[in-house]
Amino acid sequence: MQIATLTDEGHALLDRAYQEVVILERALTDAFTSSEHAALCELLERATTLLIQQTRHATAPHATEERSH
């Protein structure tokens, strides 16, 4: 197991990213109705899940490798 820690620069970058997310979330909340906001959140969650699944699939070791004849 490898444990990684963020540098001060990494923490600052992460903090800025979270601030941007909060700003974006407020802008979207103000721009959409409650039902539109809920639908957008659902789509984003589905997209995130799909990207995670595809990433895992693409990086997973193959149980069987194709052999050339």
Side-chain angles (χ1 to χ4, degrees):
M1 177 184 345
Q2 181 176 5
I3 298 174
T5 59
L6 292 175
T7 62
D8 289 341
E9 183 178 335
H11 281 290
L13 178 63
L14 189 58
D15 289 342
R16 287 193 307 272
Y18 280 130
Q19 289 171 4
E20 292 295 325
V21 167
V22 169
I23 291 168
L24 180 60
E25 183 179 13
R26 286 181 185 154
L28 291 175
T29 300
D30 293 343
F32 296 113
T33 65
S34 296
S35 60
E36 290 172 327
H37 186 258
L40 177 61
C41 288
E42 181 183 338
L43 287 171
L44 291 173
E45 287 178 23
R46 288 173 46 201
T48 300
T49 300
L50 180 62
L51 288 172
I52 290 170
Q53 289 172 345
Q54 289 178 348
T55 301
R56 287 183 182 154
H57 178 71
T59 59
H62 298 288
T64 60
E65 295 183 21
E66 292 183 27
R67 296 180 188 174
S68 56
H69 296 280

